[in-house]
Amino acid sequence: MKGFVHSIETFGTVDGDGIRFVLFLAGCKLGCKFCHNPDSWNIAAGEPMSAEEVIAQVQSYRAYYEATGGGLTISGGDPLVQPEFTAEILRQAKSAGINTCLETSGHGDSDKFGKLVQLADSVMYGLKGFSTEVYRKLTAHDGSLVRRNLKLLGRSKSQARLRYLVIPGVTDTDEELTQLSRFLRDLPCDFVVEPIAYHTMGIPKWEALGRPYQLEDLRPPTSEEMEQFILSLRGHGLKVLGDSPSAGTRRSA
């Protein structure tokens, strides 16, 4: 089976635990207006590659990954655009004893997403905020699929990481965090939140593609605002990446 690959990073340190082989698949349908790789949206722009070729490349660096508790992360674009190819890679990695992580925005077919969640050792789930209003502001969709699949993930995994985009005045509000914490409160999964600061490094790519950047009124958070956001997460009973096991106990929001 072959799929389409946007790019590969053999020494990834921010896409899961340890050092990782990060496979960025081509294709994404969420349409984030701030995306720093809009060139990855088109699946046809990717390079064809077989699952066997992917696993062979991972094996070449395997000693580095295993020594650090790392492995293979399948990202994108979004792997949900190529679910069969993603599933085949995950199956072959499992057979080879390679640790796997699925990194996704959650915007895709729920049945196929559920199967991928079962195959992956861990999941990193990218949230662009939480509410319908914020998703409509930041993406081409209303976030309903993202929320549906987040609930599915919360019932399927014992632990998962939420990579939450921080945009001052948009995604860091008490209203957004209240809705998120209430949504997560009754799910059995022990979610950990990793705050991700919004940035504008993708603007040159939008310009190169001849597309207008629609969010020029937004700015990245300061370090002080990121620190305050982490406090807000804890105040809503959410666990932050790096917290001790006892931190972030859930309570009513």
Side-chain angles (χ1 to χ4, degrees):
M1 179 182 293
K2 287 200 173 186
F4 295 90
V5 175
H6 174 263
S7 56
I8 288 173
E9 184 176 354
T10 59
F11 203 82
T13 58
V14 295
D15 294 282
D17 296 333
I19 298 172
R20 306 191 74 85
F21 183 101
V22 188
L23 182 73
F24 297 97
L25 298 183
C28 184
K29 297 181 179 180
L30 184 55
C32 294
K33 298 173 185 177
F34 54 85
C35 182
H36 60 280
N37 281 316
D39 54 308
S40 70
W41 293 1
N42 183 4
I43 188 172
E47 293 293 327
M49 193 171 182
S50 70
E52 289 78 10
E53 289 172 325
V54 171
I55 297 302
Q57 286 203 28
V58 178
Q59 295 281 28
S60 299
Y61 305 94
R62 184 166 180 170
Y64 296 99
Y65 306 142
E66 291 187 340
T68 61
L72 164 66
T73 296
I74 305 179
S75 184
D78 199 303
L80 297 188
V81 177
Q82 301 186 63
E84 291 81 11
F85 182 54
T86 301
E88 181 60 23
I89 295 171
L90 291 173
R91 280 191 289 266
Q92 291 195 25
K94 184 180 290 291
S95 296
I98 298 169
N99 177 272
T100 58
C101 177
L102 176 70
E103 184 173 12
T104 176
S105 71
H107 183 79
D109 180 90
S110 294
D111 289 338
K112 293 175 180 177
F113 172 70
K115 293 176 182 177
L116 295 179
V117 167
Q118 295 302 320
L119 287 170
D121 292 313
S122 62
V123 177
M124 292 197 301
Y125 201 87
L127 286 176
K128 322 306 177 186
F130 185 77
S131 68
T132 295
E133 293 73 22
V134 166
Y135 262 84
R136 283 177 175 160
K137 178 179 179 64
L138 299 178
T139 77
H141 298 276
D142 64 5
S144 56
L145 260 180
V146 174
R147 290 185 291 273
R148 182 190 308 168
N149 286 334
L150 178 58
K151 182 174 290 187
L152 189 158
L153 174 63
R155 293 172 174 168
S156 303
K157 284 288 186 183
S158 60
Q159 187 178 70
R161 185 186 303 186
L162 301 180
R163 308 193 86 187
Y164 190 95
L165 181 69
V166 183
I167 303 178
V170 180
T171 67
D172 65 346
T173 65
D174 186 70
E175 181 181 357
E176 286 298 296
L177 292 186
T178 296
Q179 290 188 51
L180 174 62
S181 58
R182 285 178 176 169
F183 186 91
L184 299 179
R185 188 173 56 208
D186 298 324
L187 295 175
C189 181
D190 188 17
F191 286 104
V192 177
V193 182
E194 178 186 6
I196 303 293
Y198 166 75
H199 62 75
T200 57
M201 290 186 286
I203 291 179
K205 284 195 176 181
W206 285 81
E207 294 174 344
L209 292 170
R211 300 178 184 175
Y213 191 78
Q214 302 176 47
L215 302 177
E216 291 189 345
D217 58 320
L218 302 183
R219 63 172 178 82
T222 64
S223 58
E224 291 79 11
E225 286 171 325
M226 289 296 290
E227 291 174 3
Q228 182 58 50
F229 180 71
I230 290 173
L231 293 176
S232 296
L233 287 172
R234 293 176 179 141
H236 281 82
L238 298 173
K239 185 186 297 183
V240 180
L241 184 68
D243 280 345
S244 64
S246 61
T249 54
R250 290 195 190 140
R251 55 183 177 271
S252 299

